[in-house]
Amino acid sequence: MARHLITSAIPYINGIKHLGNLIGSQLPADLYARYLRQRGHEVLFLCATDEHGTPAELAAAKAGKPVAEYCAEMHTVQSQIADGFRLSFDHFGRSSSPQNHKLTQAFAGRLAEVGLIKEVIEEQVYSVADGRFLPDRYIEGTCPNCGFESARGDQCDNCTKQLDPTDLINPHSTISGATELEVRETKHLYLRQSELKDDLAAWIDSKKDWPILTTSIAKKWLNDGDGLQDRGITRDLDWGIPVKQGDQTWPGMEGKVFYVWFDAPIEYIACAQEWEDAGKGTGWERWWRTDKGADDVTYTQFMGKDNVPFHTLSFPATILGSQEPWKLVDYIKSFNYLNYDGGQFSTSRGRGVFMDQALEILPPDYWRWWLLSHAPESSDAEFTWETFQTDVNKDLADVLGNFVSRITKFCRSKFSEAVPDGGEYGPAEEKLIADLTTRIRAYEKHMDAIEIRKAASELRAIWVLGNEYLQANAPWTTFKTDPDTAAMQVRLALNLIRIYAVLSAAFIPDASADLLAAMQTEDDSWPDDVQAALTALPAGHVFTVPDNQFRKITDEEREDWAERFAGKRD
Ligand SMILES: [Zn+2]
């Protein structure tokens, strides 16, 4: 038994996430956490909402609510949707928690103490009418390069030219439309990441087992151009963690907050404190402090590829820079993007299926199975309604669902709703046990390595073995001439249902629980020994025929949904 700390990239607070976000971090993290718990390991699985920054302020303003109230409400909404997808977080925290305030201020204070913080005077655009500094992306104007009228302060979306807000012709505030903008001086804190470049490079080089997607992105940021840059960790905003040096005020930094990307990853640690403070467990430090027991913890992070630079460089710079005994990540599992039906998911244009909508039309297992079995691991993947319909109908209804339905109904009609007695294994059963053993060992290997598509494919093949066995040995025919042998075949197949429930639990937890309930067993032990596992339900053990677990998606539904989610949501 080992100890595993697992975190999913924390979703931003300003709205409900789409299925591409779900498969990019939370769902695969949940799969891994569930699997490790099943294998007997001690797991702490954490996620939270990322609540600071201008987008939260703007979303709250749009909703007509104070930002703290808006964030509290959206946290509840995201938490309920996570439950709907059966995401088994040990705690779903908030980056705005008091614990994270304190810890973020402590990290900043410590980094200043060891000389890794510098103060920089910057020039920034100030909107007199709005009474605030404006982040680059909240300034728009005409592009000096191509004449596009809605170029942002950081980039022109039309010609892609990188811009400074002062390059824009006729700039205005996107908050109020105000044109009375002036450049003012403001002081900010920078983390001297460049000082940590060698430490970070050595640490990344030591990670020989990381996916190429992860290390290549990290090395690009580390080495390209002028290399790793010092990074601003404060902002002129109201909503955020006030800049303090530990619990002391920071002279000259009054009224400023930490930049959201400085405090958000620290929430991974604060979330463990929240978990303990919520009474869900004890000893958060044994997960995070290497001087308090975290040396034997394996820490795995899950995230989309856009988050890799922050997790391989910025957050490790905070931890390494502190020179304190915090746990560093051991393995980063990063994902490419899931695209939607020939384009991209778009939150702003409402293109694609959002998490709340998905649960309105189908139970979570359908989505979990499809998304995980198409996880964008080695390249981008694409959701289309055709493949969704085809794969769900085939894998879940035709293969798994059909196997269960066929054998339980046959047993009820020819024997009873109890596991039948009689008969002995022959060569067909020995071959099946050998094949199952090979495939289950391969499945474990892929799950241990977090090779999700390979694991899904192996699980599907394990389901198929059961159907092929029934097809080839046809107990309904055997029964006519040799009821004893038919009883043995049925007994084996009924036991296989329990094994399927156990093996499938991390992918489709509801179906798994339903299968165990139908088989009237609480024995969810892992099939380390397949032959023994096939005797877990002995002759005479009573079961019930389960309801059809997976219904098929019709062509009409597919067409309706394709139209409904093409992009209208505001
Ligand atoms: Zn342009």
Side-chain angles (χ1 to χ4, degrees), residues 408-423:
T408 51
K409 283 178 182 160
F410 175 71
C411 185
R412 179 173 63 185
S413 77
K414 298 298 180 196
F415 299 95
S416 67
E417 271 183 288
V419 177
D421 197 8

Side-chain angles (χ1 to χ4, degrees), residues 7-13 26 45-51 75 78 89 91-97 264 267-268 270-271 274:
T7 58
S8 158
I10 64 177
Y12 199 68
I13 193 70
Q26 288 182 328
F45 176 28
L46 302 173
C47 190
T49 39
D50 176 8
E51 304 194 358
H75 174 79
Q78 292 207 17
F89 308 131
H91 189 70
F92 187 58
R94 303 181 58 187
S95 70
S96 63
S97 68
E267 168 61 13
Y268 290 141
C271 190
E274 291 173 52

Side-chain angles (χ1 to χ4, degrees), residues 208-230:
K208 305 290 182 209
D209 61 334
W210 281 11
I212 291 168
L213 180 64
T214 303
T215 47
S216 63
I217 293 172
K219 286 182 178 172
K220 181 172 160 36
W221 279 66
L222 200 55
N223 301 320
D224 277 15
D226 298 328
L228 188 63
Q229 299 297 299
D230 295 342

